[in-house]
Amino acid sequence: MTRARWGALALLVRPAYIATEYVVAAATTGGYSFVSDSVSKLGEVGCSEAYCSPRHELMNGSFMGFGVLLAGGGVLLARELGPWATGLLVVSGLSSVATGLAPLDQDATLHALAATPLFVAQPLSLLVIGHRLRKESPVLARGLLVTGVVTGSAAVAFVLAGEESAAAGALERLSLWPVLIGLAAAGLRSRRARSRTA
């Protein structure tokens, strides 16, 4: 299998991350809301009578594992994506890895510093990839451009509202989950293109 096919596969499997959130959330005690609670709350190490996430290691490991897939996928698809998109994906992936290494309840400032690049670089990567594919795959390109705008706007709204907002979880997921689908679609396009030329 070529480097590019491995890169496409890395992007294709990343939507499985969403299932990880559900698995971890199902084990929490004290109540967890996908609408009002941030994703980072699932990775909190400490427990109290009010709330506990006993599967926090799985959540933080997921941040790291899927971050490696993102950065690795970007590097392996560098020739196709170009330097800007590749750089943005690598930054996003490393940010995800760093987020998993800095749980929210251990050091909130460090956690915010680790996570912030992800919310900036991911939407930008979609815009760059969408612009790059506008002639070869116009439908996919438009989808990526729209997704980039939506996720970027949601990221700004999440930051402005803060983690204590009643819609923090919904805004954060709106800034993260569509990116998984968008990049998986780009990976699928790459994989199909490689299959046709093989």
Side-chain angles (χ1 to χ4, degrees):
M1 190 179 288
T2 65
R3 285 168 53 94
R5 285 184 177 174
W6 278 114
L9 182 61
L11 298 183
L12 276 168
V13 301
R14 290 188 69 250
Y17 159 83
I18 297 173
T20 306
E21 281 194 29
Y22 279 97
V23 169
V24 176
T28 60
T29 58
Y32 181 85
S33 169
F34 277 77
V35 174
S36 59
D37 291 323
S38 71
V39 176
S40 298
K41 194 171 176 67
L42 293 173
E44 289 187 355
V45 176
C47 284
S48 67
E49 290 185 11
Y51 176 79
C52 184
S53 178
R55 294 177 181 166
H56 60 268
E57 290 181 349
L58 175 59
M59 192 70 255
N60 291 322
S62 179
F63 291 152
M64 292 185 278
F66 285 100
V68 168
L69 286 174
L70 180 57
V75 170
L76 293 170
L77 287 169
R79 189 171 295 177
E80 247 176 76
L81 299 176
W84 282 102
T86 298
L88 289 166
L89 292 180
V90 169
V91 167
S92 300
L94 294 178
S95 174
S96 182
V97 171
T99 301
L101 293 171
L104 177 63
D105 64 329
Q106 300 300 294
D107 189 329
T109 301
L110 182 59
H111 180 83
L113 289 172
T116 298
L118 179 71
F119 290 95
V120 177
Q122 280 199 141
L124 288 177
S125 72
L126 292 179
L127 295 176
V128 172
I129 296 170
H131 180 73
R132 190 176 178 87
L133 296 177
R134 67 193 187 285
K135 292 181 180 177
E136 299 170 32
S137 302
V139 174
L140 175 60
R142 283 195 295 272
L144 292 174
L145 291 170
V146 169
T147 305
V149 170
V150 170
T151 55
S153 300
V156 171
F158 171 65
V159 171
L160 293 177
E163 292 209 21
E164 301 305 315
S165 164
L171 289 172
E172 186 176 20
R173 288 175 174 87
L174 183 58
S175 70
L176 297 174
W177 286 7
V179 177
L180 298 167
I181 307 303
L183 290 177
L188 181 62
R189 176 209 162 270
S190 172
R191 194 169 176 81
R192 285 177 172 170
R194 297 278 164 183
S195 297
R196 286 196 296 269
T197 58

